Amino acid sequence: MTILVAYVPRPEGQAALDKGIEIARHRKEHLIVVNASPGGSKEDPSLADVQDYERVQQLLVDTGLGAEFKQYVRGNNAVAEIEALVESSQATLLVIGLRKRSPVGKLIMGSIAQELLLSVSCPVLAVKSV
């Protein structure tokens, strides 16, 4: 059994990570944290840099959980990478973070969050940052 967290280096990503750790502890399940970007010549703010990667790695070690951090930059979009990982890890739950939005923005979620909610085969927990 595996809890999967879709991580981005922003407050909503940290909220998803914190909730994923909490649930994995409670359920005594394996935790996988994934950060994915297609890469390329354009800078992607959703890609964790070396400093953030090391911070999350240390946080996972400090939890004492069976946890791992995977980062993918191999030309696939984040949704495809997360969908594949949900299937290969047989995830029981996917935790994603949502940004605060204006009233109009609330009508339409972020495209990645919306795609994940509609496409993955496991339950999805969407959390907001404080």
Side-chain angles (χ1 to χ4, degrees):
M1 303 286 200
T2 300
I3 305 293
L4 184 63
V5 173
Y7 177 77
V8 292
R10 297 190 295 260
E12 62 269 21
Q14 187 62 48
L17 179 59
D18 293 343
K19 183 55 76 172
I21 290 169
E22 177 186 327
I23 293 169
R25 275 190 178 133
H26 179 73
R27 293 185 180 183
K28 296 178 176 53
E29 291 189 40
H30 183 71
L31 178 67
I32 298 176
V33 179
V34 63
N35 177 246
S37 169
S41 59
K42 186 171 76 169
E43 191 172 318
D44 184 353
S46 65
L47 185 63
D49 62 18
V50 173
Q51 197 173 24
D52 198 50
Y53 182 89
E54 290 173 353
R55 182 191 65 79
V56 172
Q57 282 279 63
Q58 188 59 52
L59 179 64
L60 294 176
V61 168
D62 293 346
T63 66
L65 294 169
E68 55 189 305
F69 188 24
K70 296 178 181 266
Q71 188 173 53
Y72 298 119
V73 185
R74 42 188 194 192
N76 300 324
N77 69 27
V79 174
E81 294 288 7
I82 293 167
E83 285 175 334
L85 196 52
V86 163
E87 295 305 318
S88 67
S89 68
Q90 298 179 345
T92 57
L93 179 68
L94 171 62
V95 183
I96 62 173
L98 297 178
R99 290 183 291 204
K100 293 184 180 187
R101 302 226 176 234
S102 69
V104 172
K106 288 179 183 178
L107 293 174
I108 303 170
M109 276 189 240
S111 60
I112 292 176
Q114 185 174 8
E115 283 185 60
L116 288 171
L117 284 167
L118 295 172
S119 65
V120 296
S121 60
C122 68
V124 179
L125 175 63
V127 297
K128 291 192 309 186
S129 61
V130 180

